[in-house]
Amino acid sequence: MRDPSGNPHLLPRMKIRAKLYLVVLPLVSVVVILAALFAYSASAEALEKATREALIKKAAWLQDYMDDQAVLLVDEGYLGDEYMREAALAGIEKHAGDLLQSDAEIIAAFDSTRRLVFFAGDGARKKDAALLADFNRKYLTVRTQSDAFSLQVYTAHERRDVLAVLDGVIGVSLLILLLALLTAAVFLHFLSAAVTGPIGAMQAVFDAYSFDRLSGKAREYPVLDVPSQDETSALAVSYNAMMARFAEAENELNRFARGREAAKNIEEKRRNIFQLYTPGEVVQKVLKTPADLLAGAKYEGTVLYSGLRQLSPLSENLPPATFVALLNRYFIKMTAIVRKKIGVNFNIEGDALLAGWGIPEPHAKDTVNAVHTALLMIEAVLTLNEENDKMGLPPLEVGIGLDSGFVTAGNISSGLKVNWTVMGGPVSVAVPLQKLTREYKDALLFTENVYKKVYAYFPCRFIDKVMLPTSPTGISLFTARLKITDRQKEAWKHHRIAVKLFYARKFTEALLRFEQALLTDPEDGISAIFIDRCRRYMKSPPPPMWDGTPPVFPGN
């Protein structure tokens, strides 16, 4: 073995292990450090952005509440009454306190002289309230103006509390770096040993057989110039002689590998076919804990039940093949949306789809994902109807009901057919809610259990309070939108005030507000329903123990 000039053994010798250490360990360090810096920066920015968005929403809710209080003062004739104004401010302060979800959040209001009018939050932070008007860097702050009460309102969250979750990122990153370096060093140690061990053994064999024992003469091998002095250079002379045998062995290994790959592909195809009938999440968990999952277990989650309205005329008027193809296109889109939002498709029966979130595996924001799925499904049906119109097919109308709570999930079998599905209260509620969507002319209805978990993420509104066959008392219904127009926002505001008046039994005043909501948005069907109720109750008031539910269950 020679260097490029022909002189033997003049190149500096370096072990393969040392080469691996010099290349891999610095690379691992750089990658971990860059990842930690990026994670910290991105996380801090995302946390502050999310916190500011939450503050903006809370400020908007408080602003709406203050506007409502101002409207009530005007409507009740207490506009100049200082006592009623103070009472209204006390109510606003209490509502502001109800909006706070953390000890690090505060809401403070100042008059034109910067005098603190009210304060909501941890009393120990009250001394910080005076600094909010100067945009103290200690807090993330959102400022709003209440002209009705001549107040500047600051909704704030302590910045240190927002970023507290990242305090340990640097320490954890250093720990990860040390662990990564240690792991890499151990891995490289065993890797280099695995590489150089066989090489050394092969070199010994080559050296033993490089002498022809029969003739007593050394074999002639071509001398190759190699640009390094490590263990592999010793194999250079024997490489060409071994290539034929290696090629034969490689062909055999390739045939074996192709056989194994073919077997793996067959297994994967079987698995994919099974997942067409059973949710993929269920398949994964069956492999981990088959006994518990198949026997039945209780889960806390959110259930979605959707169905198509007026499907019978479609099935009667369309050719069977066209009707089935239409349903298949519909369900392909709907189930894809469910899976995209980390949901599980349980059953498809006729035109109905049953899906769930948090079952069998919980994920972050399961209920939010469920409502988002419902809203995306409604939009997808509109897109599908545009396609149907171009194909000369009739439009589809979807109705969706949602409820959250505990369900039982398990393997239900008749002996001939097996289905892994869910049962329980949320399913029994979601099904009639889906049917009620036609009565209320709204494609989406959900319960208060769902509303409490999603109102901070979507524009939501109260629909009605109804009696269901599965509920001994009236339940409140809500709906949501991905976004609303300014006209809808104004109509919803009138509707919200009208609902309060309605349940306070002030039907005449409520009627005026509902009519204003319907005038603002002529497509506001729920306001039209309440207008009719107000007129009936003005003629025949409900009994003293009336709980707000309509006298007759809708649809009966």
Side-chain angles (χ1 to χ4, degrees):
M1 294 172 284
R2 304 173 181 273
D3 64 23
S5 64
N7 297 321
H9 306 299
L10 293 182
L11 293 177
R13 185 177 183 86
M14 180 178 290
K15 298 286 187 178
I16 291 178
R17 182 174 299 172
K19 293 179 179 180
L20 290 174
Y21 284 159
L22 287 176
V23 173
V24 175
L25 293 184
L27 182 62
V28 169
S29 301
V30 170
V31 170
V32 172
I33 291 173
L34 290 177
L37 292 174
F38 177 81
Y40 185 93
S41 176
S43 299
E45 182 179 354
L47 284 172
E48 289 196 1
K49 180 179 179 182
T51 302
R52 191 171 296 280
E53 290 176 351
L55 291 176
I56 291 172
K57 289 183 178 180
K58 291 178 181 179
W61 296 334
L62 183 59
Q63 184 72 34
D64 288 345
Y65 186 85
M66 294 174 72
D67 291 343
D68 292 347
Q69 292 298 310
V71 170
L72 287 177
L73 287 177
V74 173
D75 291 346
E76 298 294 338
Y78 295 126
L79 181 60
D81 191 325
E82 189 62 23
Y83 175 78
M84 294 303 296
R85 182 179 184 275
E86 291 298 326
L89 288 175
I92 293 171
E93 181 175 4
K94 181 180 182 302
H95 184 72
D98 293 339
L99 291 176
L100 301 181
Q101 297 176 326
S102 167
D103 290 340
E105 293 179 344
I106 61 176
I107 296 178
F110 303 86
D111 59 18
S112 58
T113 63
R114 291 209 173 183
R115 179 180 66 87
L116 182 64
V117 177
F118 68 78
F119 173 86
D122 184 2
R125 299 179 182 273
K126 194 169 185 179
K127 62 180 182 297
D128 292 335
L131 300 177
L132 290 177
D134 297 326
F135 298 96
N136 182 17
R137 292 175 61 120
K138 185 178 179 181
Y139 287 84
L140 291 172
T141 307
V142 173
R143 184 182 65 177
T144 55
Q145 173 76 32
S146 173
D147 295 330
F149 292 93
S150 299
L151 296 178
Q152 293 279 348
V153 182
Y154 294 84
T155 306
H157 195 129
E158 187 177 16
R159 192 184 304 271
R160 183 177 61 185
D161 179 77
V162 175
L163 301 179
V165 70
L166 301 178
D167 288 345
V169 168
I170 296 178
V172 171
S173 299
L174 292 176
L175 179 60
I176 292 175
L177 175 60
L178 292 177
L179 291 176
L181 292 176
L182 179 61
T183 303
V186 173
F187 173 78
L188 292 176
H189 172 79
F190 286 104
L191 176 63
S192 60
V195 172
T196 58
I199 291 177
M202 292 175 67
Q203 181 180 353
V205 173
F206 294 154
D207 289 342
Y209 283 89
S210 62
F211 184 81
D212 189 343
R213 297 186 179 185
L214 294 177
S215 63
K217 298 180 179 179
R219 293 178 179 175
E220 295 290 331
Y221 289 98
V223 177
L224 301 178
D225 292 331
V226 290
S228 62
Q229 289 289 330
D230 57 31
E231 293 90 335
T232 58
S233 61
L235 297 175
V237 175
S238 305
Y239 177 77
N240 290 331
M242 294 293 295
M243 278 303 297
R245 296 178 185 177
F246 286 163
E248 183 181 350
E250 183 179 7
N251 289 335
E252 187 66 26
L253 287 174
N254 285 338
R255 285 193 293 271
F256 176 74
R258 285 193 294 270
R260 292 203 57 171
E261 186 66 24
K264 182 179 178 181
N265 290 338
I266 292 173
E267 180 66 22
E268 187 66 24
K269 289 180 180 178
R270 291 174 179 171
R271 185 188 192 94
N272 292 337
I273 292 173
F274 183 51
Q275 288 181 347
L276 291 176
Y277 298 93
T278 303
E281 296 81 355
V282 178
V283 175
Q284 294 294 339
K285 195 160 185 178
V286 163
L287 298 177
K288 297 178 182 178
T289 56
D292 293 343
L293 195 69
L294 297 179
K298 226 170 186 56
Y299 303 94
E300 184 175 11
T302 300
V303 173
L304 179 151
Y305 185 83
S306 71
L308 294 174
R309 307 171 188 162
Q310 299 182 349
L311 196 66
S312 297
L314 291 180
S315 64
E316 295 170 359
N317 297 329
L318 291 177
T322 303
F323 178 68
V324 170
L326 178 62
L327 282 184
N328 285 337
R329 289 172 54 229
Y330 165 76
F331 280 119
I332 287 173
K333 291 180 180 292
M334 299 303 106
T335 55
I337 295 172
V338 171
R339 286 184 176 274
K340 184 177 180 180
K341 300 304 295 183
I342 325 179
V344 177
N345 295 297
F346 292 117
N347 292 353
I348 294 178
E349 296 182 1
D351 63 302
L353 168 65
L354 178 64
W357 284 259
I359 313 163
E361 290 289 344
H363 302 88
K365 298 181 180 178
D366 277 324
T367 306
V368 175
N369 285 334
V371 173
H372 196 190
T373 297
L375 295 172
L376 293 177
M377 289 170 66
I378 294 170
E379 286 197 342
V381 170
L382 295 178
T383 303
L384 183 62
N385 286 339
E386 293 177 359
E387 299 173 1
N388 290 343
D389 183 62
K390 295 178 182 178
M391 299 167 62
L393 297 174
L396 301 177
E397 294 183 30
V398 68
I400 303 173
L402 287 139
D403 190 25
S404 292
F406 286 94
V407 298
T408 298
N411 203 40
I412 307 300
S413 172
S414 64
L416 298 177
K417 183 179 179 180
V418 179
N419 189 24
W420 195 87
T421 187
V422 292
M423 301 147 286
V427 180
S428 301
V429 172
V431 172
L433 291 193
Q434 184 274 328
K435 297 178 180 178
L436 282 175
T437 57
R438 183 176 180 183
E439 299 288 338
Y440 290 106
K441 298 179 177 61
D442 201 306
L444 172 62
L445 291 176
F446 51 81
T447 63
E448 191 170 3
N449 295 333
V450 176
Y451 169 77
K452 291 178 179 179
K453 298 178 181 178
V454 304
Y455 71 88
Y457 298 89
F458 306 101
C460 298
R461 74 181 298 194
F462 173 82
I463 292 295
D464 200 0
K465 192 173 183 181
V466 300
M467 294 290 295
L468 295 181
T470 57
S471 176
T473 59
I475 66 171
S476 297
L477 304 184
F478 298 84
T479 191
R481 299 287 186 272
L482 285 173
K483 58 183 178 180
I484 58 177
T485 63
D486 292 339
R487 184 183 66 180
Q488 289 174 319
K489 185 177 181 180
E490 182 68 19
W492 285 24
K493 179 180 177 181
H494 288 298
H495 176 82
R496 182 170 59 253
I497 297 172
V499 167
K500 294 179 181 178
L501 294 170
F502 178 83
Y503 285 105
R505 305 172 72 97
K506 298 178 180 180
F507 302 117
T508 302
E509 300 171 42
L511 175 62
L512 296 175
R513 282 290 184 173
F514 283 127
E515 289 176 341
Q516 186 64 36
L518 189 59
L519 181 63
T520 304
D521 184 5
E523 297 180 359
D524 192 25
I526 186 60
S527 290
I529 292 175
F530 272 94
I531 287 172
D532 179 66
R533 288 187 193 169
C534 285
R535 290 171 177 166
R536 288 191 288 115
Y537 285 148
M538 288 166 63
K539 295 179 181 179
S540 178
M545 300 303 292
W546 174 64
D547 64 353
T549 57
V552 179
F553 177 74
N556 289 351

